[in-house]
Amino acid sequence: MQRAGATTEETEMPKLHLLLCAGMLGLLAACGGVRTDASEPTVSYSYDDDDDYEEVAEKADDYCEEQYDKGAYLVDQDSEAGDYEATFACR
């Protein structure tokens, strides 16, 4: 039903707007996807002496707390020729 003096263009715009919105919602749903894998943020530190582990663990904990509001947990520790590296995950 057209109001008096309204043009066809004025009455079709709301319908076109609804159709456009519905189409955009359909596209968003199709692009959503499903996450199949996610990695926790990590931080690694190198150190020279096994006794320095506590210091790097504290640095990792500080980093995870500041950046992600989480604690640091050791996920890997390597030693080669007297050099050490520890990798922590922020959980």
Side-chain angles (χ1 to χ4, degrees):
M1 174 191 241
Q2 272 186 317
R3 64 169 197 213
T7 65
T8 303
E9 186 176 295
E10 289 175 326
T11 59
E12 292 298 317
M13 286 302 287
K15 292 178 188 175
L16 182 60
H17 183 76
L18 276 173
L19 184 60
L20 184 62
C21 287
M24 289 173 60
L25 286 174
L27 285 174
L28 282 174
C31 294
V34 177
R35 183 176 71 194
T36 58
D37 189 21
S39 298
E40 298 170 311
T42 60
V43 60
S44 298
Y45 290 95
S46 296
Y47 53 104
D48 298 326
D49 189 351
D50 195 33
D51 294 334
D52 294 334
Y53 172 78
E54 292 299 322
E55 182 182 338
V56 298
E58 187 175 324
K59 286 182 181 181
D61 202 45
D62 290 345
Y63 172 82
C64 289
E65 179 68 32
E66 290 172 11
Q67 296 295 315
Y68 304 103
D69 197 27
K70 303 205 181 268
Y73 296 88
L74 181 67
V75 292
D76 190 34
Q77 190 174 25
D78 293 322
S79 63
E80 289 184 26
D83 291 326
Y84 298 90
E85 182 177 87
T87 301
F88 299 86
C90 301
R91 298 184 184 156

